[in-house]
Amino acid sequence: SWWRVSKETGAFPAEAISPVLRRLLRSARSDIFECYSPRAKAMISARSVSSRTSLPSRIIFPGAVYHITSRGNNKNDIFRDNEDREAFLEILHRVNTRYNWLCHAYCLMDNHYHFLLETPRANLSKAMRQINGTYTQWFNRKHERVGHLFQGRYKAILVAKETHLQVLCRYIALNPVKAGMVKDPARYS
């Protein structure tokens, strides 16, 4: 539920969300689209859900900060060894450089990843398509497989930078600890 996620990440409780954003969240599938930032109020009225798809439009604007997650199809592993992780980080580095992103934090778990990033230009969709698409092609070639690697669309949660950046950095860094993989986040590599 939205409140469970917001308690973990320190996001605004439901009653603190603007009426415009509340209306948008009710009309959209909330398991796919969430937004924490009051700064997004001005952007919401310009965005609409396409009549040809059930997926809502993303709120994208210059200077936005997002918590990005993507999970393996059927919760399968997307990183089988350190070579996979290194290849993914190389792709992430190239995309960060090409699209001028600021990556504040990341965590690569076995079956999903987390990024906390800032987009000085409004280019989230193009860059994420490049990350997930390029990595899927690389992974499929290496492991001699075909088909989807990731389960559905990546999740992009708009974050209030001034109030939630530090909380989300901590949440992402502690993800391996919470999963029981390590006791100290510094030991996770």
Side-chain angles (χ1 to χ4, degrees):
S1 74
W2 191 86
W3 176 243
R4 182 183 55 75
V5 172
S6 66
K7 277 196 335 193
E8 291 174 2
T9 59
F12 292 113
E15 57 273 3
I17 299 174
S18 74
V20 173
L21 181 54
R22 195 173 299 122
R23 247 190 338 272
L24 180 64
L25 287 171
R26 272 197 302 264
S27 68
R29 289 178 45 196
S30 62
D31 62 321
I32 295 173
F33 176 82
E34 296 179 36
C35 176
Y36 301 157
S37 176
R39 181 176 177 196
K41 286 191 278 189
M43 304 306 294
I44 291 169
S45 61
R47 300 281 177 186
S48 64
V49 178
S50 170
S51 61
R52 292 181 294 180
T53 179
S54 63
L55 299 176
S57 297
R58 300 216 187 263
I59 298 174
I60 299 172
F61 58 92
V65 178
Y66 299 96
H67 178 198
I68 306 287
T69 59
S70 192
R71 186 173 301 283
N73 203 18
N74 294 319
K75 298 184 181 181
N76 290 331
D77 287 352
I78 58 174
F79 305 109
R80 294 183 182 172
D81 55 33
N82 283 336
E83 184 182 5
D84 293 347
R85 286 179 172 81
E86 289 169 10
F88 186 85
L89 290 175
E90 176 60 34
I91 293 166
L92 177 60
H93 174 72
R94 285 195 314 250
V95 169
N96 275 335
T97 303
R98 179 177 181 185
Y99 291 96
N100 199 29
W101 279 1
L102 302 171
C103 187
H104 296 289
Y106 69 88
C107 181
L108 308 181
M109 303 294 282
D110 291 340
N111 71 345
H112 69 283
Y113 63 77
H114 293 265
F115 303 148
L116 180 58
L117 53 90
E118 188 171 345
T119 57
R121 298 186 304 235
N123 54 13
L124 178 68
S125 296
K126 286 181 183 177
M128 287 305 300
R129 183 174 60 232
Q130 184 173 353
I131 289 172
N132 284 351
T134 304
Y135 182 69
T136 297
Q137 290 172 3
W138 182 89
F139 187 90
N140 284 349
R141 263 193 314 274
K142 178 188 175 198
H143 296 288
E144 298 177 349
R145 62 182 298 277
V146 296
H148 296 282
L149 178 61
F150 294 102
Q151 179 175 306
R153 252 167 65 150
Y154 63 91
K155 192 171 188 178
I157 301 171
L158 192 58
V159 175
K161 181 178 179 180
E162 300 78 21
T163 56
H164 295 99
L165 186 68
Q166 188 174 15
V167 172
L168 277 168
C169 283
R170 178 177 160 79
Y171 171 78
I172 290 170
L174 291 176
N175 212 267
V177 175
K178 187 175 179 182
M181 299 171 77
V182 293
K183 292 185 184 204
D184 178 17
R187 301 183 71 70
Y188 188 76
S189 57

